[in-house]
Amino acid sequence: MDAIKRLTLPLSETDVRSLNAGDLVMLDGEIVITAGIPTHERILDYLRQGKPLPIDLRNGALLHLGGYSEEAEGGLDLLYMNPTTSTRFNHLMPEIIRGLGLRVTGGKGGLDARSTAAMKEVGCVYLSFLGGGCTLLSQAIREVKTVDWNDLIVHYRLTKLKVEDLGPATVGIDAHGRSLYEVGAQQAVERLPAILEKLEAARVNAPQRPAAG
């Protein structure tokens, strides 16, 4: 197994461009998480209006992580977190990545070619987290720093966390435009004719069942 790279946030553009698709990483530092489409729509609305966000996300890490939380005196008690599917945000992320100059985003399932182009342009990577890995990921939470947009349901709010040893995560899309998701999809397309040919041969050569009498 390749060595796991430990990254301390925030990352510089140079740090980000030193990573390659397929690298395994662990994160230390501060991240912002949210699992909501309405949250991303509001971020985009703020950017278009030139309004400051309640949490400074410029050159930061915005991750598609949600989870179970409880209201607590003076804030939020985050009991666990888990990645949500990033492709739900395909139509929003290119403008958000460019508008905030994000260095890190991530979740599960990847992002499309438009987001990959935006990441290559500004210097941003997509980290793929283990789906269903809430126990492992939640162990990395050290502190809930701030919670904003409390009018939204809990896992849609903008939540800033201090984490330690968050991961391991895979660089699914790097800042050079390389995407493991696009490679996988292309490989699947290339293999499909051979798979179909094998299935057809198996069908033709299968023993015939006697007709019901």
Side-chain angles (χ1 to χ4, degrees):
M1 179 183 292
D2 293 337
I4 297 177
K5 299 181 179 181
R6 182 173 295 278
L7 305 177
T8 300
L9 303 169
L11 299 180
S12 69
E13 182 177 350
T14 300
D15 294 331
V16 170
R17 294 196 185 276
S18 72
L19 298 171
N20 294 297
D23 286 349
L24 294 176
V25 302
M26 303 284 284
L27 298 181
D28 296 331
E30 293 184 353
I31 62 173
V32 176
I33 68 171
T34 182
I37 289 177
T39 321
H40 286 70
E41 291 173 339
R42 188 178 294 184
I43 290 172
L44 202 49
D45 185 53
Y46 272 52
L47 288 174
R48 290 170 177 172
Q49 295 185 52
K51 294 170 57 177
L53 292 166
I55 296 177
D56 186 6
L57 278 165
R58 296 190 182 278
N59 306 125
L62 176 64
L63 301 178
H64 302 144
L65 297 172
Y68 181 73
S69 307
E70 290 182 345
E71 302 284 356
E73 185 176 351
L76 191 71
D77 186 9
L78 185 61
L79 302 181
Y80 70 77
M81 63 181 178
N82 208 37
T84 190
T85 303
S86 297
T87 51
R88 299 188 297 121
F89 311 105
N90 274 335
H91 61 299
L92 301 166
M93 287 305 296
E95 192 172 348
I96 290 175
I97 291 167
R98 291 187 175 99
L100 294 172
L102 289 180
R103 296 291 175 229
V104 180
T105 188
K108 65 178 182 179
L111 289 166
D112 64 11
R114 294 171 300 164
S115 291
T116 298
M119 285 185 269
K120 182 178 180 181
E121 181 181 317
V122 306
C124 177
V125 292
Y126 177 92
L127 300 183
S128 177
F129 291 91
L130 176 64
C134 63
T135 301
L136 179 64
L137 299 177
S138 301
Q139 291 174 354
I141 301 170
R142 294 294 177 267
E143 183 183 355
V144 178
K145 302 288 289 187
T146 59
V147 181
D148 289 280
W149 291 347
N150 292 326
D151 58 306
L152 299 173
I153 59 176
V154 171
H155 60 285
Y156 282 13
R157 297 173 189 174
L158 282 180
T159 304
K160 180 189 285 187
L161 302 175
K162 180 179 180 181
V163 296
E164 186 177 318
D165 293 333
L166 178 62
T170 303
V171 178
I173 305 172
D174 65 24
H176 307 288
R178 295 185 287 257
S179 170
L180 298 184
Y181 303 96
E182 292 182 10
V183 170
Q186 182 59 39
Q187 289 175 341
V189 169
E190 292 171 354
R191 293 176 59 191
L192 184 59
I195 292 171
L196 294 176
E197 183 178 345
K198 184 179 293 187
L199 290 173
E200 177 62 15
R203 184 190 68 80
V204 170
N205 296 323
Q208 299 296 313
R209 292 182 178 179

